[in-house]
Amino acid sequence: MKIAVRSAAEADLAALLALYRELNPDDAPLPEAAADAIWAAISGQQGRTVLVADADGAVAGTADCVVMPNLTRGGRAILFVENVVVAGGFQRRGVGRQLMEAAVRLGESAGCYKVQLLAADDAYVHSFYEACGFKALAQGFRRYVE
């Protein structure tokens, strides 16, 4: 299987939505018009790159990356990674690792001093990120807004 990581395009939207349903199966589906509008906002956002892993023509995984400008660390930015998901049929085949390597390269090319993400409270997920070179160095906090 040949895996190529690239920036997502509008034509990938349906595949992205299918991946996000795997990530959050309890979410109500987005109406098509809303999804199109959100995609337009995402694709026009400076410093935002949605990566997709293309496995022999199928979108097998994704990672949403945002470069955040920063006034500390000599003005070096931070790359945040969110919504990492690999389709069930492609897991444990190197797709996630290649996505994370591409995210790190994206951060390097943007002059970031670190790549940061929050991970689900799941030992399997933690071991995956550790195998990709990430370290659990901080306590993450969330406050959901209703």
Side-chain angles (χ1 to χ4, degrees):
M1 173 177 69
K2 184 176 185 292
I3 302 166
V5 178
R6 59 176 173 76
S7 294
E10 185 176 355
D12 297 313
L13 183 55
L16 287 169
L17 293 172
L19 285 169
Y20 296 146
R21 279 191 297 277
E22 287 192 42
L23 180 65
N24 296 305
D26 295 334
D27 283 0
L30 281 175
E32 186 175 342
D36 289 341
I38 293 167
W39 176 254
I42 288 170
S43 60
Q45 186 178 1
Q46 185 175 347
R48 180 100 176 250
T49 305
V50 177
L51 298 172
V52 292
D54 186 303
D56 297 329
V59 174
T62 186
D64 193 347
C65 303
V66 179
V67 174
M68 185 179 83
N70 181 33
L71 290 171
T72 66
R73 301 294 181 158
R76 294 179 68 197
I78 303 164
L79 183 86
F80 288 93
V81 182
E82 265 294 322
N83 296 331
V84 176
V85 59
V86 174
F90 289 97
Q91 291 179 1
R92 305 194 61 80
R93 297 171 70 185
V95 173
R97 179 177 295 274
Q98 287 195 38
L99 278 167
M100 296 314 298
E101 288 171 358
V104 170
R105 285 193 306 273
L106 184 64
E108 290 170 343
S109 70
C112 296
Y113 82 95
K114 71 178 174 182
V115 175
Q116 186 164 300
L117 57 87
L118 290 173
D121 191 17
D122 178 303
Y124 171 77
V125 172
H126 293 188
S127 65
F128 164 73
Y129 287 121
E130 288 168 356
C132 291
F134 288 80
K135 293 181 174 62
L137 296 175
Q139 177 78 35
F141 295 90
R142 290 186 188 136
R143 180 174 175 178
Y144 290 100
V145 181
E146 298 294 323

